[in-house]
Amino acid sequence: VLNETGNLEEEFEVLPAGLSEFLHNQDAIRRIRLMYGDSASFDTFRDKFFAWFNGFMVLRYLNEVHQENYVKAPVTSEANCLASIEGIPAGESAEELLIHFRTYEKGKGNRRII
């Protein structure tokens, strides 16, 4: 999380604008510093971070960021876009795309999709 200098502000500058703004509005720098200072190990810090930045927070982020920074698009359209970047065959339906992505993830492709 922290760069070599320990400067979170510098780390936030390289994030996409929507994410940086959302984290700023959540007072993330202060919260991360508190979590980091209160953790004896990286594993403890990671657990505290993801207890705070949980699925609900991700949902809040997605709902806020799409209004100004991103456009909602059909899943199949965006999945086909990602598939073309990764060299995965295109699909006509969400189910077909899911099968292609799962096959790729199981070792048929160059790297694991995260």
Side-chain angles (χ1 to χ4, degrees):
V1 169
L2 298 174
N3 60 17
E4 289 81 26
T5 64
N7 191 336
L8 279 173
E9 288 85 357
E10 288 178 7
E11 294 293 329
F12 277 42
E13 288 177 15
V14 299
L15 295 174
L19 179 57
S20 179
E21 182 179 337
F22 177 78
L23 291 172
H24 176 75
N25 292 340
Q26 302 303 315
D27 199 18
I29 290 176
R30 182 184 67 79
R31 290 174 181 258
I32 290 171
R33 282 194 176 124
L34 285 172
M35 287 181 262
Y36 189 77
D38 193 33
S39 300
S41 68
F42 178 75
D43 290 339
T44 302
F45 168 76
R46 185 184 57 221
D47 291 345
K48 288 180 182 192
F49 177 81
F50 285 111
W52 171 67
F53 201 87
N54 57 19
F56 179 67
M57 184 77 76
V58 171
L59 186 59
R60 286 179 55 197
Y61 164 69
L62 292 173
N63 282 328
E64 287 184 26
V65 77
H66 89 271
Q67 296 170 5
E68 295 181 21
N69 301 87
Y70 301 100
V71 178
K72 286 187 176 182
V75 169
T76 53
S77 170
E78 295 303 307
N80 273 315
C81 230
L82 176 60
S84 70
I85 292 169
E86 295 295 325
I88 298 170
E92 295 291 320
S93 67
E95 182 180 5
E96 185 179 354
L97 281 160
L98 181 59
I99 291 168
H100 291 310
F101 278 104
R102 284 181 175 169
T103 301
Y104 182 80
E105 190 175 277
K106 287 181 181 176
K108 302 292 183 196
N110 300 353
R111 61 181 194 254
R112 184 176 175 82
I113 296 174
I114 297 174

